[in-house]
Amino acid sequence: MATVISGKELSAQLKEEMKAQVATFPEKYGRVPHLVVILVGEDPGSVSYVTGKAKASEVVGIKNTTIRKPDTISEAELLGLIEELNADDTVDGILVQLPLPKHISEDKVIATIAKEKDVDGFHPLNVAALWQKQDCVLPCTPKGIIKMLKRAGVEIKGKRAVVIGRSNIVGLPVSKLLLDENATVTIAHSRTADLPTVTRNAEILVVAIGRPKFVTADMVSEGAVVIDVGVNRDPETGKLCGDVDYAAVEPKASVITPVPGGVGPMTICCLMENTIECFLRKMDKQL
Ligand code: L34
């Protein structure tokens, strides 16, 4: 039986701590942090995640403005909106929910968000700072994963970690954070030759590939720590599921994260943390 790390519980605890911290801000700084989330289109997954971000903001006491735009919005109009928010002194964090419609360049959108307000940690200057070991905003999902590992008492140092997935949002930055914790990291992907041989070597396995039941029991070694970053719909049941065949893998794992209730809630929790961080950087500069 594996230890199941509840991201839901851990994030609830951390949000309570942040709530107490934010409650001291009006007296100290005259206001609370303000996060603006932009959602383009109606994708049900994105709508659900953005709603989760607004709910978490409410719990923590952060001001949240969610701006919804139709998927027909032009790239120029979206970039213009971001510029306005950049210039608005009362806005501390800006997040544009991804993915965006094909006619809008995600790269352009991310680069347009002021680095100081980039609560996602996606801006090229933030990414460069991360890889150069400089002060930066850590991307939410990778940051949440490291917090979960630490909370479960998993020693990362000296371990063989395998990350399946090489996206800018998860695979690459989580690999870098594991490396910084002194794990030895292998980055694998859907084209990796003989993937099961690679993953069976993992003491820590992070899966961010976006395919239901991609990781089967034969790919996991006895006692491995398994972190499931996937959020998919099970094609048979229609229910939310991860990238890991949970029922088959859980008995082999020493530690595992569930979907739902694992990495997802931690992503949102770290977004709250990053918003407070951007707010405090700005306020402390002004003092
Ligand atoms: N800009 N785009 C930007 N920033 C992000 O950090 C994200 N991401 C990813 C997609 N696009 C983004 C998210 O917010 C994925 N993601 C995300 C956030 C939260 C959850 C899942 C993905 C989450 O809360 N998942 C719940 C279930 C939610 C449901 O019922 O639909 C869970 O328990 O896993």
Side-chain angles (χ1 to χ4, degrees):
M1 284 287 281
T3 299
V4 181
I5 320 177
S6 169
K8 202 174 159 186
E9 256 170 50
L10 176 53
S11 68
Q13 280 171 22
L14 295 171
K15 281 185 285 189
E16 281 307 310
E17 291 172 22
M18 287 189 264
K19 179 184 175 177
Q21 185 191 10
V22 170
T24 68
F25 290 168
E27 194 182 329
K28 260 191 231 163
Y29 305 107
R31 63 178 185 86
V32 296
H34 182 191
L35 170 66
V36 177
V37 175
I38 302 173
L39 171 59
V40 178
E42 319 260 324
D43 173 73
S46 297
V47 170
S48 153
Y49 308 154
V50 162
T51 305
K53 291 170 188 190
K55 281 191 186 148
S57 303
E58 202 175 316
V59 170
V60 173
I62 287 174
K63 180 178 172 187
N64 180 296
T65 305
T66 301
I67 302 177
R68 291 193 62 167
K69 292 287 180 189
D71 60 9
T72 50
I73 188 176
S74 70
E75 185 182 89
E77 195 188 331
L78 181 59
L79 296 179
L81 173 60
I82 294 168
E83 302 275 16
E84 274 174 36
L85 295 168
N86 285 344
D88 185 341
D89 240 9
T90 67
V91 173
D92 306 294
I94 304 169
L95 180 151
V96 180
Q97 189 69 18
L98 303 177
L100 289 168
K102 282 197 182 68
H103 68 277
I104 300 176
S105 156
E106 290 186 352
D107 287 348
K108 265 194 211 169
V109 165
I110 289 168
T112 301
I113 296 170
K115 174 181 169 276
E116 296 72 26
K117 300 190 182 189
D118 174 31
V119 284
D120 266 327
F122 292 168
H123 190 285
L125 291 172
N126 252 321
V127 177
L130 169 68
W131 287 87
Q132 295 179 359
K133 301 195 184 97
Q134 293 158 1
D135 217 22
C136 64
V137 173
L138 294 178
C140 302
T141 301
K143 187 178 184 180
I145 290 169
I146 301 294
K147 275 189 201 286
M148 291 175 96
L149 289 169
K150 290 194 170 165
R151 172 55 66 107
V154 173
E155 167 104 289
I156 304 174
K157 182 179 160 196
K159 293 282 169 63
R160 292 183 305 275
V162 173
V163 176
I164 312 179
R166 50 181 159 175
S167 72
N168 290 332
I169 296 188
V170 183
L172 294 179
V174 81
S175 300
K176 168 63 174 155
L177 294 188
L178 288 165
L179 196 56
D180 289 346
E181 297 288 338
N182 297 309
T184 300
V185 183
T186 303
I187 305 176
H189 43 83
S190 59
R191 290 184 178 79
T192 296
D194 198 6
L195 184 59
T197 301
V198 176
T199 57
R200 271 196 299 269
N201 190 38
E203 294 167 290
I204 299 172
L205 180 61
V206 180
V207 192
I209 193 130
R211 296 192 200 167
K213 295 190 184 164
F214 183 79
V215 171
T216 45
D218 62 299
M219 294 168 73
V220 178
S221 75
E222 204 65 50
V225 172
V226 179
I227 306 289
D228 189 349
V229 189
V231 207
N232 314 296
R233 291 273 156 200
D234 186 320
E236 284 154 31
T237 64
K239 284 193 189 150
L240 219 55
C241 70
D243 292 346
V244 174
D245 184 346
Y246 188 88
V249 169
E250 185 272 333
K252 290 184 95 176
S254 63
V255 174
I256 194 164
T257 63
V259 179
V263 173
M266 289 304 295
T267 296
I268 294 183
C269 175
C270 289
L271 172 65
M272 299 298 110
E273 214 179 82
N274 285 353
T275 304
I276 294 172
E277 216 175 279
C278 289
F279 169 82
L280 285 177
R281 272 200 199 126
K282 178 156 110 192
M283 290 303 173
D284 290 339
K285 231 188 256 172
Q286 285 170 6
L287 285 183

